[in-house]
Amino acid sequence: MRRFVLGGLLLALAACSGEGGGEATAPRDPQQAFQGGPQPGPQGGSPQPSANAAQQALQGLYAIRQQQCQTGNTLACQSLGAFAGQDQQLAQAGQACRAGDQRACEMLITMSQNILKAYAESAQVMQAGAQGAAQMDAWRSQMNANHAANMARLGAQAAAGQAAHQARQESYAAMNQTWANGQAAAERNTGRFNDYIYEGTTVNGGGVQTFVPHGSTAYTDGAGNVVVGQEGGEAPSGWRQMDPTYAAPD
């Protein structure tokens, strides 16, 4: 499609850039309407586009429409078919202009101006779209970076909070254990003092607690029965020695 469009355009432009006379000061000379660089328009009007500029504009416009079509722009897809008719109109205007038809030359100039205008506007839209997409990508990237930083910060805070909580729990447990040890030590001291006063030893075993005089040892059968013998003696068969209640733990 592009080769067909550009081929027709070159044919149309050749109609106004072929060999022939005419001076640069004659704006209505069909041979000079598209010579290199802008030319003065009819009756000293605005400058007219050069052949190369019109060719590049049509090529760029067609490329833009193709790109827009590929991104899902339905109108751009529909406009691609019109390039063939535009190419044909340019070719016909070029042939008539070469034959000396001033109206055809003016038509060719007008069509080229329209092509340049359409290309400029479309290129501006595409550039703005590209800049907008780039800004959106940059914003999205920044948001992702901010989210990742926030998640990392929250994770670090959670880990620090958990570690602090664990440290507090361990500290409380240690203080509770210290208090319990102190209470147990106080109870043992009180029990040993009472045993000292009553000249005996409180013993435990098999779920039974009893008091025996100094120099004696108590034994239990595990069923609540207790016998007392001399310290250092042998335990009855099947009985076990009872332990001092207020002895320090191992």
Side-chain angles (χ1 to χ4, degrees), residues 3-240:
R3 288 195 298 269
F4 176 74
V5 171
L6 296 181
L9 178 63
L10 290 175
L11 179 61
L13 295 176
C16 293
S17 61
E19 297 180 355
E23 299 179 356
T25 57
R28 289 189 174 273
D29 188 341
Q31 302 298 334
Q32 296 210 359
F34 289 93
Q35 293 298 324
Q39 301 294 328
Q43 304 298 330
S46 60
Q48 305 303 322
S50 68
N52 289 337
Q55 176 185 0
Q56 293 173 3
L58 186 60
Q59 180 180 359
L61 182 60
Y62 186 77
I64 288 175
R65 293 295 182 264
Q66 282 187 318
Q67 183 177 356
Q68 291 173 335
C69 179
Q70 291 172 358
T71 58
N73 189 323
T74 304
L75 294 178
C77 296
Q78 295 174 352
S79 69
L80 292 177
F83 277 82
Q86 190 175 29
D87 171 77
Q88 184 177 4
Q89 290 178 359
L90 285 171
Q92 292 174 352
Q95 291 175 358
C97 181
R98 183 175 55 184
D101 188 340
Q102 182 61 35
R103 291 182 179 273
C105 293
E106 293 177 356
M107 179 185 298
L108 187 60
I109 291 173
T110 301
M111 292 177 64
S112 299
Q113 287 179 328
N114 291 337
I115 291 172
L116 286 169
K117 180 180 179 182
Y119 170 70
E121 293 175 349
S122 297
Q124 185 177 8
V125 170
M126 293 295 289
Q127 182 179 7
Q131 292 175 349
Q135 292 175 354
M136 180 60 69
D137 290 342
W139 177 84
R140 186 179 295 108
S141 177
Q142 185 62 47
M143 291 300 100
N144 290 338
N146 292 344
H147 176 70
N150 288 336
M151 293 303 295
R153 177 176 55 82
L154 293 175
Q157 290 178 348
Q162 182 64 27
H165 174 73
Q166 184 65 26
R168 286 194 299 270
Q169 293 299 106
E170 292 176 356
S171 176
Y172 296 154
M175 288 189 293
N176 290 337
Q177 186 61 47
T178 299
W179 179 85
N181 292 341
Q183 290 297 106
E187 291 178 0
R188 288 194 299 272
N189 290 336
T190 301
R192 282 194 293 266
F193 178 76
N194 290 335
D195 286 352
Y196 173 76
I197 294 297
Y198 292 102
E199 298 181 349
T201 302
T202 303
V203 293
N204 279 301
V208 179
Q209 184 181 77
T210 188
F211 181 84
V212 296
H214 288 312
S216 301
T217 301
Y219 304 92
T220 180
D221 61 358
N225 299 312
V226 176
V227 296
V228 178
Q230 293 294 322
E231 185 175 359
E234 293 185 1
S237 178
W239 295 56
R240 67 181 182 84

